[in-house]
Amino acid sequence: MLTHRDHCGLCHSKDIVRILDLGSMPPSNAFLTKADLGKPEPVYPLEVMFCRDCTAVQLGAVLDPRDIFTDYRYFTSASGPLVQHFHRMAESLAQRFIESSNDLVVEIGGNDGSLLEAFPKGQRVLNIDPSVNAVKMSLAKGIPTHKGFFDSHIARILASKSAKLVIANNVMAHIPDIRDAVLGVETMLAPDGVFVFEVHSFANLFSQSGWDQIYHEHVYYHTLKALKRLLEEFGLEVFDLETYPIHGEVMRVYAARPGVYPVTDGPSRQLRMEMSWYLHREDTYRDFAGRVEDTKKQLVHFSDEAKRCGASVVGYGAPAKGNTLLNYTGIHLDYIVDTTPEKQGCFTPGSHIEIFPPEKLLTDTPDHLMILAWNYAGEIKEKERVLHDRIGSFVVPMPTLWYL
Ligand code: TMP
Ligand code: ZN
């Protein structure tokens, strides 16, 4: 189910304008089996809006989270570096904010429990997550887990004014009713409770021109400026901020009731950086949309040239963001290789390109390899030296087309 937005999700202003239109496409993680190929495939508009009041950046049409996250097959534990990152986060939070094992730690969207499991043994914890599959894994680890979507109602029932820490990683961009979510967080926090969340920084997406990270799962593209205003409206002060190089860059934001914790210079540093890039101004987003179109033209040109010369182009990695790129540009790939067993044998949503195990490249030598998982470009070049020598052309599509 799709809802068209006529107001800003952060501040409720009606003064929102469309700044980018990527066309209509299926959800980026809706990979198809061979049997699915003959069936109708629902597509939804993918357009980005800018709020002239609070400067928030968000999708103009929002899918019902129940359609995306109930049967979600993404597990944190599948990504080694992410698990390590979360373990370090748990250690740091425990050391900085936890005084006794009786302090309650709540995680919203805690997935398979990869973060909560790293808190000291015996710590009172609670995971709230809507995904059936992830909840099973979390419970199997012995983590008290509530299966369901987070909102202010469930917050009141489960942990009214009692949480020392509320953690929400990679969910603040995903919950359409973010105002209700922040109200829920505030409801759960003890008087000296801390709300910590990690979210992709729009500043990073903007600076890298990583527009393929725009897809239906990501409802918001946050700047600290817009988030800070929202948190303050619900009585929370941002007192610290750090950034980490995860999938580009995430901001780790710390908020609490005003005056409870000293304010570091992290938040003002981030705000200054956002201001220096004019992320509070509408015309910046119009320039950004122009850059998106330029990349599309480049990719279409590359693809047309390859076709004209009879050269084959194979995709490397089938990340969700690759589907935004393929569906928006309409470029042709002969096939894609990906290490994920669940994706192998399937087809990409919308573009219907078949996905094979990487071993296919042991016997096949395409003319070009397009690195769709471009955020891993460095490590791919490192691990595929032999293939690189044989193929010669590793094309990276972002920020503008370049050769690895
Ligand atoms: P992610 O950006 O969501 O982690 O997705 C990366 C995708 O790319 C995932 O489907 C796995 C795939 N991939 C490969 O097939 N080979 C690789 O070497 C890397 C790094 C990723
Ligand atoms: Zn707004």
Side-chain angles (χ1 to χ4, degrees), residues 32-295:
L32 306 167
T33 63
K34 204 167 198 146
D36 292 331
L37 285 179
K39 299 179 193 158
E41 198 179 4
V43 296
Y44 307 99
L46 190 58
E47 52 184 27
V48 183
M49 317 292 284
F50 173 73
C51 173
R52 285 174 167 155
D53 272 319
C54 78
T55 74
V57 181
Q58 56 207 285
L59 292 188
V62 178
L63 279 173
D64 189 330
R66 277 172 298 206
D67 296 339
I68 301 178
F69 297 109
T70 308
D71 185 29
Y72 203 46
R73 284 157 198 276
Y74 176 86
F75 303 113
T76 308
S77 54
S79 169
L82 195 59
V83 173
Q84 282 168 21
H85 172 73
F86 283 163
H87 281 201
R88 279 195 291 268
M89 180 180 193
E91 276 164 32
S92 146
L93 293 177
Q95 197 184 19
R96 188 167 169 192
F97 300 111
I98 297 296
E99 281 154 16
S100 101
S101 58
N102 210 28
D103 286 345
L104 175 63
V105 181
V106 178
E107 188 178 9
I108 303 167
N111 197 269
D112 55 18
S114 290
L115 187 146
L116 287 179
E117 71 183 351
F119 274 84
K121 280 247 163 315
Q123 187 69 44
R124 256 178 90 207
V125 298
L126 172 66
N127 181 9
I128 305 173
D129 195 283
S131 149
V132 185
N133 310 305
V135 164
K136 268 190 211 149
M137 292 165 80
S138 175
L139 284 169
K141 288 175 179 162
I143 295 168
T145 307
H146 172 85
K147 187 178 88 57
F149 285 91
F150 179 75
D151 58 23
S152 57
H153 175 70
I154 203 72
R156 247 186 315 276
I157 295 172
L158 292 179
S160 191
K161 299 279 179 256
S162 57
K164 184 66 198 276
L165 263 180
V166 176
I167 305 168
N169 288 341
N170 304 313
V171 299
M172 294 295 278
H174 299 64
I175 301 181
D177 194 352
I178 189 171
R179 290 177 64 84
D180 183 66
V182 175
L183 173 67
V185 168
E186 199 278 333
T187 302
M188 293 196 298
L189 285 178
D192 61 347
V194 178
F195 176 34
V196 189
F197 62 94
E198 286 192 354
V199 75
H200 277 114
S201 88
F202 178 77
N204 180 258
L205 187 155
F206 177 81
S207 66
Q208 304 241 317
S209 258
W211 53 266
D212 54 351
Q213 289 166 68
I214 300 171
Y215 48 90
H216 295 103
E217 261 179 46
H218 299 156
V219 181
Y220 299 105
Y221 302 85
H222 287 302
T223 56
L224 178 62
K225 181 179 165 68
L227 272 172
K228 185 170 175 285
R229 174 170 153 173
L230 172 72
L231 292 163
E232 283 171 0
E233 201 186 322
F234 287 91
L236 297 174
E237 173 185 59
V238 175
F239 67 88
D240 195 6
L241 182 144
E242 296 148 356
T243 56
Y244 293 88
I246 302 288
H247 280 287
E249 181 181 270
V250 292
M251 300 186 276
R252 184 183 294 172
V253 182
Y254 298 76
R257 299 208 164 77
V260 179
Y261 296 91
V263 179
T264 70
D265 64 356
S268 51
R269 217 176 325 120
Q270 181 74 15
L271 288 174
R272 275 200 304 275
M273 194 255 290
E274 291 174 358
M275 286 289 274
S276 72
W277 286 346
Y278 298 102
L279 296 186
H280 55 297
R281 282 178 44 171
E282 187 179 331
D283 47 358
T284 304
Y285 295 89
R286 308 234 172 255
D287 291 347
F288 178 68
R291 276 198 273 150
V292 174
E293 238 170 85
D294 289 345
T295 328

